[in-house]
Amino acid sequence: MQAAVASSAVAAGAAPKAQARLGALARIAGRRILAQAPKSSRVPAASLNNRAVRAQAAGKNGSAASSAASAGSQEYDYDLVIIGCGVGGHGAALHAVECGLKVAIVEGHDIGGTCVNRGCVPSKALLAASNEVRKLRDEHHQKTLGIQLAGAATFDRQAIADHAINLASTVKGNLQRSLESLGVTILRGQAKLTGPHSISYGLPGRVDVGGTATAKDIIIATGSVPFVPGGIEVDGKTVFTSDHALRMEWLPQWIAIIGSGYIGLEFSDVYTALGSEVTFVEAMPNIMPGFDREIAKLAQRLLIQSRPIDFHTNVIASKVTPGVPGVKPVKIELTDFTTKEVVDELEVDACLVATGRAPYTNGLNLGSVGVSPDRRGFIPVNEKMQVLDSNGKVVPNLYCIGDANGKYMLAHAASAQGIAAVETICERPREVNHLAVPAACFTHPEVSFVGLTEDAAREKAEKEGWADKLGVSKTYYKANSKSLAELESDGMAKMMYRKDTGEIIGVHMMGLHSADNIHEFSNAMNMGLTLRDLKFNVHAHPTVAEVNEELIRHAQLDKVASVKPAAAKQAVAA
């Protein structure tokens, strides 16, 4: 009992310090914002505990308590309406309910959006299955592990495709149930704005679906669709986007992939593991243009040169004509990116168009609130995700998150932006530090990064006058026990940092489980921690996380003056 009392006393004493710390460094997914006097919440009379009780009580969204607390809430059907139920919209809805808001979410397609149904989630199922095939067919790998197989490993294409479909369906159901359990109203249909606080929604050709709704605040979270450049004819069978490829209806013997970013690389991993040959068509001078140069060079050796893959760079697929599987090839006209002259023509069995994504913002009737998308279709927002009108001014009570605003087209970035938008709605303004948002490419081995590349870090250091303080730390997976045990020790990690402050500028990895490893650094950047803080972290042995420990150890920081501890008092003999 005394211990409990003492513990409570310590907690009470620590509370003011914790509050001061949070007030000075208010963050959501990263960026520090200036400390300011706390504003009244959307639920001013409710304590944090009361909010938690309301969110849990029978999963009721927008309880009587929260509705009564929201100023002027009786004027609207909901406190918040979210247009789009992808990962960003879903995350925003959950956080809004936690904050005591009455929430509705409008979805015209599938709960979970692109990521869950036609993107990150099902593609991981294909990558997992195909990598098992690759490893089972690697005779040297199996023999070294002491495994003997009776014959060559075979696979069932349809079963692999079904695994991806079933995974997407499972995750989709989980997301829907999580919303329903909290009482979030799910409105079915494609929504458009009809005013500052109102929407209408429906589905083409359906009179049984649709309606109108009003809300104090509206978040646009409509996501994106595959971008297909002009001159490319998509038939969904021999020329297709990632939406079609995830169904894996057939396996072409030779496939061209236009674009060598995340999507193209991941599908090349799948196709080559299952026996296809791949040709990349890349408009930039180098393959994998978005990666750190050193990591890209390593990735080229591990992911391309060691596999049945070739590539053409500095060319665009100016014209792509579909074929007929097994009868007529797909024809791809290659044009020099610089001279604009036709330089070659490819004939392949299939073509995957992986040229990025375009915002899905058509049909939102943005003009009704004075908003104009930019030339690429993105909705302009500020750092708090507030939508800006044609004159660059904030449109009150309107927010846009995720791919539709173009700030960082990743599902988890959309979720972070959604939480930040809800915090701003609740008068606790937050901003997302996108430099602290990690990214990953789930090839085998994986590639991950956060922050700036080495080239970008050097440019920043030169511009800001601390070039002599830029440090680069490197380590290799061949020194990692866990990677060696799994015979997957190809890879490296590198970190850019400031020698004087210990600030982490960027981290890039390629190797076993690097998509998981990167979070130690992204979270440190997010919380404003330095390498002087991280050097005390403990990593289980033997794990791949020890790669992080080596990066931290190898960093050469400037010495700082330390205070000599006072000498301990010596006991005096009686």
Side-chain angles (χ1 to χ4, degrees), residues 213-533:
T214 60
K216 176 76 163 58
D217 294 281
I218 297 172
I219 294 178
I220 297 170
T222 47
S224 63
V225 295
F227 170 68
V228 179
I232 299 178
E233 183 183 344
V234 172
D235 67 350
K237 189 69 175 178
T238 60
V239 180
F240 44 81
T241 67
S242 56
D243 284 3
H244 307 102
L246 287 165
R247 301 173 195 161
M248 194 166 281
E249 294 175 343
W250 67 298
L251 280 172
Q253 198 169 8
W254 183 14
I255 182 169
I257 299 179
I258 304 175
S260 62
Y262 304 113
I263 299 172
L265 283 171
E266 289 186 0
F267 274 104
S268 76
D269 201 282
V270 171
Y271 280 119
T272 55
L274 300 182
S276 300
E277 295 181 6
V278 172
T279 295
F280 275 113
V281 176
E282 174 56 58
M284 295 291 100
N286 300 305
I287 205 83
M288 296 168 282
F291 290 6
D292 177 270
R293 267 197 302 164
E294 193 170 9
I295 295 293
K297 185 177 180 181
L298 176 62
Q300 184 170 328
R301 177 170 66 83
L302 297 179
L303 302 179
I304 294 179
Q305 293 173 352
S306 64
R307 298 175 180 178
I309 300 177
D310 67 347
F311 57 89
H312 300 264
T313 56
N314 205 53
V315 293
I316 58 174
S318 49
K319 184 178 180 181
V320 179
T321 306
V324 177
V327 177
K328 186 173 72 172
V330 174
K331 292 187 178 182
I332 304 174
E333 181 182 87
L334 300 182
T335 296
D336 187 278
F337 185 79
T338 306
T339 66
K340 309 305 179 188
E341 296 179 354
V342 176
V343 293
D344 204 352
E345 183 178 85
L346 299 178
E347 290 190 352
V348 294
D349 299 311
C351 177
L352 168 61
V353 183
T355 48
R357 300 187 65 83
Y360 184 60
T361 53
N362 290 335
L364 285 172
N365 193 28
L366 295 168
S368 66
V369 290
V371 176
S372 299
D374 68 14
R375 61 183 180 82
R376 296 176 296 170
F378 293 113
I379 297 174
V381 297
N382 63 14
E383 293 304 313
K384 297 181 180 68
M385 304 302 126
Q386 296 168 306
V387 173
L388 306 177
D389 65 17
S390 302
N391 297 314
K393 296 181 179 179
V394 170
V395 178
N397 308 103
L398 184 62
Y399 302 79
C400 179
I401 65 173
D403 288 6
N405 69 33
K407 282 190 170 291
Y408 204 175
M409 298 177 78
L410 294 173
H412 47 283
S415 184
Q417 291 173 5
I419 292 170
V422 170
E423 286 290 295
T424 300
I425 286 169
C426 293
E427 300 185 14
R428 300 185 294 267
R430 304 298 171 100
E431 298 179 359
V432 176
N433 177 6
H434 292 95
L435 280 176
V437 175
C441 183
F442 294 87
T443 48
H444 296 93
E446 296 171 342
V447 181
S448 65
F449 63 88
V450 63
L452 302 180
T453 63
E454 182 176 348
D455 287 344
R458 292 196 181 282
E459 183 180 343
K460 176 182 174 68
E462 289 283 353
K463 184 177 180 181
E464 297 179 1
W466 47 272
D468 60 324
K469 296 299 182 182
L470 177 63
V472 180
S473 173
K474 298 179 184 179
T475 189
Y476 298 87
Y477 282 67
K478 289 190 183 300
N480 180 260
S481 301
K482 187 66 160 54
S483 300
L484 289 166
E486 298 192 24
L487 298 182
E488 296 192 33
S489 60
D490 284 327
M492 71 168 292
K494 62 187 295 188
M495 173 176 61
M496 280 61 69
Y497 62 95
R498 287 190 61 152
K499 298 176 184 178
D500 52 348
T501 64
E503 178 188 358
I504 302 167
I505 307 300
V507 180
H508 298 256
M509 299 179 167
M510 182 176 189
L512 183 66
H513 303 318
S514 71
D516 301 308
N517 258 11
I518 197 68
H519 293 94
E520 180 172 10
F521 295 107
S522 63
N523 289 334
M525 293 170 70
N526 201 24
M527 299 303 295
L529 301 178
T530 71
L531 291 175
R532 291 190 173 93
D533 300 310

Side-chain angles (χ1 to χ4, degrees), residues 192-199 218 365 368-369:
K192 67 177 181 179
L193 300 168
T194 55
H197 301 279
S198 60
I199 65 160
I218 297 172
N365 193 28
S368 66
V369 290

Side-chain angles (χ1 to χ4, degrees), residues 200-219:
S200 64
Y201 61 96
L203 290 174
R206 295 278 298 275
V207 296
D208 60 324
V209 175
T212 61
T214 60
K216 176 76 163 58
D217 294 281
I218 297 172
I219 294 178

Side-chain angles (χ1 to χ4, degrees), residues 135 138-147 486-488:
K135 288 197 292 187
D138 185 340
E139 187 176 346
H140 175 73
H141 181 86
Q142 299 300 332
K143 279 186 175 181
T144 306
L145 288 172
I147 298 172
E486 298 192 24
L487 298 182
E488 296 192 33

